[in-house]
Amino acid sequence: MKLTHAHIRNFRSILDSGKFSISDLCCLVGKNEAGKTATLSALQSIRPYGQAQTIFDVTEDYPRRFATRYKERHPHSEATVVETWWQMSDKAHALLAEALTSGAQKLRNQPQPKKPATLARQ
């Protein structure tokens, strides 16, 4: 899968980047403190290699001028930092469709439980 677009909000010096395109070759240009490194750090968090190097922390990473109003600005959930859009190649799509089809076929042939399984909230 290929990352095609991203949108970063509420991360360090970035209040709202807007949705931006990512192609095979990208160049980040801007003044000091414009958010170039913050952009790369946020993007790195979506699929870290090994242990995550970017862990979102309200005290460290939320824009400082709004940190005291975090709960007011996000009363029902955590702040969204990174949204991404991806494109799947035709070959990957075919492999996934095949895997899902064979998996669905296996599930169809298994006896069904009498009571559905549920996850309990703790």
Side-chain angles (χ1 to χ4, degrees), residues 21-84:
S21 299
I22 298 172
S23 60
D24 292 338
L25 179 63
C26 289
C27 181
L28 297 176
V29 178
K31 297 179 185 179
N32 290 344
E33 302 298 319
K36 300 178 299 289
T37 301
T39 298
L40 294 175
S41 294
L43 290 174
Q44 178 187 26
S45 71
I46 60 176
R47 187 168 184 242
Y49 176 76
Q51 187 174 354
Q53 295 180 17
T54 302
I55 298 171
F56 301 121
D57 178 72
V58 173
T59 305
E60 293 293 320
D61 299 318
Y62 196 74
R64 293 189 199 280
R65 64 180 158 176
F66 298 119
T68 57
R69 297 188 328 204
Y70 179 84
K71 288 184 181 180
E72 176 187 325
R73 295 184 76 198
H74 308 282
H76 303 295
S77 63
E78 298 294 322
T80 299
V81 176
V82 182
E83 286 183 275
T84 56

Side-chain angles (χ1 to χ4, degrees), residues 91-110:
K91 182 179 178 181
H93 187 271
L95 288 170
L96 180 61
E98 182 181 323
L100 291 175
T101 302
S102 66
Q105 195 64 262
K106 287 177 188 176
L107 284 175
R108 186 178 303 157
N109 296 333
Q110 290 180 355

